[in-house]
Amino acid sequence: MGPVSAEITIDAPRERVYEVVADLAMRPSFCDHFQSNYRLLRIDPTGVGAAARYQLDAARFPIWIQTEITELEAPYLVLERGQGSRLDRMAVGAAWELVPNGGTMTDVTVSFWTEPTHPIDRLKDGVLGAGWHRRRWDHALPGKFVQGIDQQFRAHVAGAIRIDEIRPRPGVNDGVGGGG
């Protein structure tokens, strides 16, 4: 499927929009209506190499997709490449372009594409179609993305504890009592 694009102009500085787009942990806050079982694959969800895996909630052919940030040009561009479908045999990609539009306005364009090579993947891609993807992204950007700019919902790596989240447990190595 060739690139499917969605566009929106939002009232937010380009730097803030870039922070949200380049942070894969923020993705569920505006893509949860068509991406489920979202999992980060690295503790740090930002920067080149940050990756996530999720399931596209297509009615007939739900598929798993893994995406990785492969290129960043702050605060203009975020490129993602990955794979999906059965056995991760179909290449996928996404490009986020951010263009200033006077004052604090930013034009956001997201393009998503697939490159199926296996006959079954080409069939599924044809049935699912560009229209399904376009409708999902058209819904994500105007409502959910703009809300996500202000929300602080973030996905986390399962079982990972960030250093800044560690709190001492009462009674352990606190100099009180006999244990330690």
Side-chain angles (χ1 to χ4, degrees):
M1 169 188 68
V4 172
S5 296
E7 300 177 11
I8 187 172
T9 301
I10 58 174
D11 187 12
R14 181 178 52 192
E15 292 75 15
R16 175 65 183 129
V17 175
Y18 177 82
E19 289 174 13
V20 171
V21 169
D23 186 351
L24 291 180
M26 294 291 289
R27 221 42 81 80
S29 67
F30 56 92
C31 292
D32 63 340
H33 64 288
F34 70 103
Q35 297 175 359
S36 62
N37 299 314
Y38 196 89
R39 299 177 174 103
L40 293 174
L41 300 179
R42 191 174 97 168
I43 291 177
D44 185 8
T46 61
V48 172
R53 188 164 175 83
Y54 57 89
Q55 189 173 22
L56 277 182
D57 292 334
R60 293 185 191 125
F61 304 113
I63 61 170
W64 283 93
I65 290 183
Q66 181 172 322
T67 188
E68 177 181 343
I69 295 176
T70 57
E71 186 179 335
L72 293 171
E73 292 181 27
Y76 304 101
L77 179 69
V78 176
L79 286 179
E80 301 174 26
R81 296 293 290 179
Q83 56 274 346
S85 192
R86 187 165 190 240
L87 304 174
D88 287 337
R89 64 186 173 207
M90 179 174 63
V92 297
W96 295 81
E97 299 172 81
L98 311 174
V99 179
N101 186 354
T104 61
M105 303 293 278
T106 303
D107 292 333
V108 179
T109 303
V110 60
S111 300
F112 177 82
W113 64 90
T114 61
E115 300 167 2
T117 55
H118 193 275
I120 292 175
D121 293 333
R122 284 197 299 266
L123 175 69
K124 288 180 180 181
D125 200 47
V127 170
L128 190 58
W132 185 88
H133 289 284
R134 185 173 292 111
R135 285 188 301 275
R136 297 317 178 268
W137 284 110
D138 282 345
H139 178 72
L141 290 184
K144 298 237 177 195
F145 184 75
V146 173
Q147 292 170 3
I149 294 287
D150 298 324
Q151 291 178 351
Q152 293 301 315
F153 174 78
R154 296 175 53 84
H156 297 282
V157 175
I161 299 175
R162 297 184 62 92
I163 297 297
D164 58 351
E165 295 176 357
I166 296 176
R167 294 185 191 97
R169 294 183 306 183
V172 178
N173 294 331
D174 62 359
V176 178

